[in-house]
Amino acid sequence: MKIRFLIAAIAAVFVTGSAYSATLDDVMARGNLECGVSTGLVGFASPDAEGEWEGFDVDYCRALAAAIFGDSNAVEFTPVSTKNRFTALAAGEFDILARNTTWTFSRDTDLKQTFLGINFYDGQGFMVRADLGVSSASELDGASVCIQTGTTTELNLADFFRVNGMSYEPVPIEDNAEAKEQFFAQACDAYTTDRSGLASTRAAAENPDDYVVLPEVVSKEPLGPLVRHGDDQWADIGRWVLNALIIAEEKGLTSANVREMASAPTNDPEINRLLGTEGTYADMVGLPNDWAVNLIEQVGNYGEIFERNIGVNTPIGLTRGVNDLWTNGGLIYAPPYR
Amino acid sequence: MTIQIVALAGFMLLISWLISNTIQNLETLGKGVELWFLFEPSSYDINQKLIEYSSRSTHLRAAFVGLINTLIVAVLGCITATVLGIAIGILRLSNNWIVAKIMTCWVEIFRNVPVLLWIVFTMAVLIESLPRPATFRGENPESSLLFWDSVAITNRGTYLPEPFFSNGLGDISIFGIFEVSLDLVAFLIVLFAGIFVSNILKKRADKTQQTTGHRPLVWPYRIAVVVIPPIILLYILGFYLGKPELKGFNFQGGIYLRNSLIALWIALSCYTSAFIAEIVRAGILAVSKGQTEAAYSLGLRPGLTMNLIILPQALRVIIPPLISQFLNLTKNSSLAISVGYMDITGTLGGITLNQTGRELESILLLMLVFLGISLGISAVMNWYNSTVKIKER
């Protein structure tokens, strides 16, 4: 691990030159997108039985690749741990990081990252064994708590127990896989991370009903993709790919009907602008005219991506909740495409 | 000569170019080298802390906690690795075929598998095989405490009884950084004084033996001066043991050895012992066979021959490479994070680095700390080496 940091630090010394050139040009020249994802979080980013990456974050990267190349498979995934993700992004090991990363002030400013938006509103929670009989996080005084190091959850955990005047024994672990091993072997009483991550871990248990996620949400964890500072055009592309996915759901564009909707101008001018049948909006950001058509056709809209990877009909089983469209009472909202 | 000077100048230029380039690039990124982050609150908790620490303490203090944890595992590891290594190295030369072969297996198994795998494997075994705290609960618990209900071995760690003093002397604060128990200091002083007196008794006995040929009976007195004064001191201080008890989720009270520490300790000790065993074997074989034969012909038994003739000479060959092994063990302890042991790599080089985003500063400080520890070990061992090596006159 230490060596990785060193390499990244040394790399940071040498590659800063390229970090300031246009990332889009680099990506076009290379012929594929490089995307940093989680090392394995079922539903968000994990390789399937054939070794193909799939998941909520993975689909965002595929949408971006579809927007640039018209091919959602023109993307290479680099798994990174929570610890070295920012160093690796800053060192230019990949073009974009989509790794359920919380948007915070210091990461945005001090670490020189640009967050492109929020694709999932999450919050930190606790999971315990059902037979412990614990029904609230305020009953966890004295418990051993498994925690992934290098995450904002680690800081929230310390604050939560300190503010509530409770003691706990932190059991630091490096990644989700090791957390599962320790938690399922009862080397810790509770496991804390984002509630989406808890749902994913619970789904991977031998018998998910043996575990309960406690009702408390102890923090705000707005997750989203991010790029390094210094290339506003690249940040704009990433931001509007995310917005396009949301607008598509809002306007009822799906992977099934988008090609037909794009064949001729419709009554709704925003759909026309997005799908390139009216105006020259794609030129403004340097993308091909049919970029939105390609990404919606190949990956689907925000709702389709959600339901396919983490929705109620998947083992993860998350309801839309706050992650529903604003028109349905959720927080998912995109600025107008005009 | 000219070529050497040119090469040296070129090398210096390269180094200075690298350094100035690094600083300049970091400035462009808006991340100048600074150390102020060390004095901000760390906001994270550390489980194993020997000095007072909370999530409100500074990053610097967190680094100290980590440094102490590194030193703990390094010292424990070096001691057990040396004891194991010497025993295995000697036994590998045993005339007993089975013993010699078992020791060969030990050496080959441990030194041929990466130490990281040994650490992770040991941790996995501890977690999966030892009883969970929950099994100690209930009317007829599956597991029970050992040694008169004083030692609890669980898959979260081992709880040992903790010494307490009902009329203790209290603590003394050193530079306001950490506190030292005066009871412990008093105990150590009395113990070492006892050992000192015992050594004087031994020297006097040796002297009498050399002058008169008759050795006075001193061993009961030697044991008495070492053992009795500390016992009296403990009685005066009101010594008693606090036993671990199952309260809430975990055992409370007692000395808590976390499994992360135990796994790291066992794995590092066994791994390094394999190398030390080979060094010891080489050292013993380096002593000419004539020495053994001469000792036997004087009528010395094999055990005495080893202790009095072979080992003192072998030590001269053993010490220098042994230093390298101690340094290796200390540096390998930076793999601690793989089992979640919060050493200095885990605090300063891990969480602090991550939460502050100061990679260069943290890594440089970390390298400096390891350099300091290693030079310290080298200095001590070189001093020891100079006391055992052949004195040439």
Side-chain angles (χ1 to χ4, degrees):
Chain A
M1 213 25 74
K2 210 171 87 185
I3 294 168
R4 263 210 96 120
F5 283 129
L6 275 179
I7 293 171
I10 294 166
V13 172
F14 287 106
V15 302
T16 39
S18 68
Y20 285 92
S21 66
T23 313
L24 180 62
D25 295 342
D26 291 349
V27 172
M28 298 290 269
R30 199 190 306 127
N32 67 354
L33 174 74
E34 288 187 347
C35 177
V37 292
S38 163
T39 46
L41 185 63
V42 179
F44 285 85
S46 62
D48 68 6
E50 275 86 49
E52 285 287 305
W53 283 88
E54 59 178 16
F56 188 74
D57 285 332
V58 166
D59 278 349
Y60 169 76
C61 289
R62 292 200 186 281
L64 183 58
I68 299 170
F69 299 106
D71 176 9
S72 65
N73 286 320
V75 50
E76 194 177 301
F77 294 100
T78 308
V80 278
S81 75
T82 47
K83 258 179 94 176
N84 59 12
R85 52 187 162 177
F86 300 118
T87 322
L89 177 65
E93 280 188 33
F94 34 76
D95 307 307
I96 189 160
L97 179 67
R99 195 205 176 286
N100 40 24
T101 301
T102 306
W103 186 352
T104 70
F105 174 80
S106 60
R107 285 175 177 178
D108 205 338
T109 56
D110 193 36
L111 294 190
K112 312 287 175 198
Q113 319 285 3
T114 300
F115 282 83
L116 305 179
I118 296 165
N119 66 354
F120 193 88
Y121 289 89
D122 211 338
Q124 184 177 349
F126 295 92
M127 179 162 65
V128 294
R129 285 184 65 85
D131 60 16
L132 274 183
V134 172
S135 59
S136 156
S138 55
E139 295 167 27
L140 286 176
D141 194 6
S144 297
V145 183
C146 276
I147 173 89
Q148 289 186 55
T149 65
T151 60
T152 47
T153 52
E154 193 166 33
L155 310 186
N156 297 330
L157 177 71
D159 287 345
F160 175 76
F161 276 87
R162 186 172 52 81
V163 168
N164 288 294
M166 301 192 296
S167 67
Y168 73 109
E169 158 89 14
V171 181
I173 36 158
E174 220 181 349
D175 56 26
N176 198 49
E178 204 196 330
K180 275 188 222 166
E181 183 196 330
Q182 297 229 9
F183 179 63
F184 291 146
Q186 294 182 45
C188 46
D189 300 299
Y191 176 37
T192 182
T193 186
D194 296 345
R195 286 166 64 90
S196 59
L198 290 180
S200 163
T201 307
R202 184 167 173 268
E206 212 167 290
N207 191 358
D209 291 336
D210 285 351
Y211 304 93
V212 286
V213 176
L214 298 179
E216 282 85 357
V217 181
V218 300
S219 70
K220 290 186 291 186
E221 305 286 344
L223 311 181
L226 58 150
V227 297
R228 52 187 168 265
H229 269 191
D231 188 347
D232 290 339
Q233 186 205 10
W234 181 240
D236 285 341
I237 292 173
R239 180 176 303 120
W240 282 95
V241 163
L242 176 58
N243 288 337
L245 292 170
I246 296 168
I247 296 170
E249 187 185 9
E250 194 183 322
K251 297 290 178 188
L253 301 172
T254 63
S255 53
N257 71 11
V258 67
R259 188 58 69 181
E260 189 196 328
M261 302 283 264
S263 57
T266 63
N267 264 339
D268 187 334
E270 184 158 18
I271 293 182
N272 297 346
R273 287 191 294 269
L274 181 66
L275 300 184
T277 51
E278 185 182 320
T280 53
Y281 287 85
D283 290 346
M284 298 177 191
V285 74
L287 287 174
N289 199 41
D290 58 349
W291 67 277
V293 183
N294 286 333
L295 77 88
I296 297 166
E297 186 181 42
Q298 296 183 18
V299 185
N301 63 34
Y302 180 86
E304 287 178 276
I305 294 176
F306 192 102
E307 294 301 341
R308 180 169 66 234
N309 293 303
I310 52 181
V312 284
N313 295 322
T314 63
I316 316 295
L318 293 174
T319 54
R320 287 295 289 270
V322 290
N323 291 302
D324 212 335
L325 286 181
W326 62 287
T327 46
N328 298 336
L331 292 171
I332 297 292
Y333 183 100
Y337 192 87
R338 64 164 61 248
Chain B
M1 192 64 187
T2 330
I3 295 171
Q4 286 176 7
I5 290 174
V6 170
L8 181 69
F11 183 68
M12 302 289 265
L13 267 179
L14 182 71
I15 297 281
S16 64
W17 176 77
L18 273 177
I19 291 173
S20 76
N21 205 15
T22 309
I23 292 174
Q24 198 192 333
N25 281 340
L26 284 170
E27 294 275 314
T28 330
L29 276 170
K31 293 168 84 172
V33 177
E34 50 183 82
L35 293 174
W36 285 112
F37 70 96
L38 285 175
F39 301 98
E40 282 158 16
S42 64
S43 306
Y44 61 88
D45 284 303
I46 301 176
N47 46 15
Q48 179 178 306
K49 47 194 183 231
L50 260 72
I51 59 175
E52 204 172 296
Y53 172 85
S54 77
S55 58
R56 296 284 89 195
S57 307
T58 61
H59 282 295
L60 186 63
R61 205 171 173 86
F64 263 117
V65 175
L67 175 62
I68 291 173
N69 288 348
T70 295
L71 292 177
I72 290 173
V73 78
V75 170
L76 287 176
C78 284
I79 292 172
T80 43
T82 312
V83 172
L84 274 176
I86 291 176
I88 293 161
I90 293 174
L91 288 179
R92 211 185 155 183
L93 294 170
S94 162
N95 292 327
N96 184 321
W97 188 85
I98 294 177
V99 170
K101 287 302 162 204
I102 289 175
M103 295 308 149
T104 309
C105 284
W106 174 286
V107 169
E108 295 304 339
I109 286 175
F110 278 104
R111 74 170 178 180
N112 289 321
V113 174
V115 64
L116 177 63
L117 297 186
W118 279 120
I119 295 172
V120 174
F121 172 75
T122 316
M123 185 69 175
V125 168
L126 290 178
I127 288 178
E128 300 291 347
S129 67
L130 294 176
R132 306 180 307 271
T135 59
F136 289 82
R137 228 182 289 275
E139 286 291 307
N140 291 308
E142 289 172 49
S143 323
S144 52
L145 284 78
L146 305 175
F147 303 111
W148 309 281
D149 278 355
S150 63
V151 177
I153 299 176
T154 74
N155 72 340
R156 292 178 189 179
T158 298
Y159 298 79
L160 303 173
E162 186 179 10
F164 282 112
F165 301 95
S166 54
N167 36 0
L169 303 170
D171 296 331
I172 186 167
S173 171
I174 295 183
F175 309 125
I177 298 178
F178 53 93
E179 305 209 319
V180 172
S181 159
L182 278 178
D183 304 307
L184 179 69
V185 175
F187 180 77
L188 289 179
I189 290 175
V190 172
L191 185 69
F192 281 111
I195 292 173
F196 183 69
V197 173
S198 158
N199 275 340
I200 292 177
L201 285 177
K202 174 178 182 285
K203 275 186 190 149
R204 280 176 66 184
D206 287 349
K207 213 171 174 183
T208 320
Q209 187 180 19
Q210 275 178 10
T211 48
T212 66
H214 171 73
R215 189 174 179 88
L217 183 74
V218 286
W219 66 264
Y221 305 108
R222 288 189 60 195
I223 292 178
V225 292
V226 174
V227 174
I228 292 174
I231 291 178
I232 294 172
L233 178 78
L234 289 180
Y235 181 76
I236 294 170
L237 292 175
F239 174 81
Y240 67 97
L241 283 175
K243 292 178 181 175
E245 273 179 84
L246 191 57
K247 277 185 194 158
F249 293 99
N250 286 313
F251 280 91
Q252 307 284 340
I255 298 171
Y256 180 19
L257 296 178
R258 286 169 183 79
N259 269 344
S260 49
L261 169 64
I262 297 176
L264 193 64
W265 180 18
I266 293 179
L268 285 177
S269 306
C270 292
Y271 178 78
T272 312
S273 77
F275 292 89
I276 293 180
E278 285 299 272
I279 292 170
V280 169
R281 189 169 70 105
I284 292 171
L285 291 177
V287 178
S288 120
K289 201 167 163 47
Q291 298 278 327
T292 319
E293 286 162 357
Y296 285 169
S297 67
L298 284 174
L300 288 178
R301 300 165 66 89
L304 280 176
T305 309
M306 183 56 83
N307 283 333
L308 296 176
I309 311 292
I310 311 291
L311 273 184
Q313 298 186 72
L315 268 183
R316 291 164 193 156
V317 185
I318 292 172
I319 301 290
L322 195 63
I323 303 176
S324 306
Q325 291 308 323
F326 286 171
L327 296 180
N328 275 347
L329 189 145
T330 310
K331 288 180 290 179
N332 283 340
S333 75
S334 63
L335 294 167
I337 185 61
S338 59
V339 286
Y341 180 73
M342 280 291 120
D343 71 336
I344 190 158
T345 329
T347 57
L348 176 65
I351 309 177
T352 293
L353 182 151
N354 244 294
Q355 305 295 2
T356 61
R358 301 263 162 216
E359 302 97 357
L360 195 70
E361 293 91 332
S362 299
I363 293 292
L364 281 178
L365 278 177
L366 197 58
M367 288 164 72
L368 216 60
V369 166
F370 271 105
L371 187 67
I373 298 176
S374 297
L375 287 178
I377 294 175
S378 297
V380 171
M381 291 303 291
N382 281 327
W383 167 80
Y384 180 60
N385 188 34
S386 68
T387 63
V388 295
K389 74 177 178 195
I390 298 176
K391 310 278 189 301
E392 294 193 25
R393 296 187 178 88

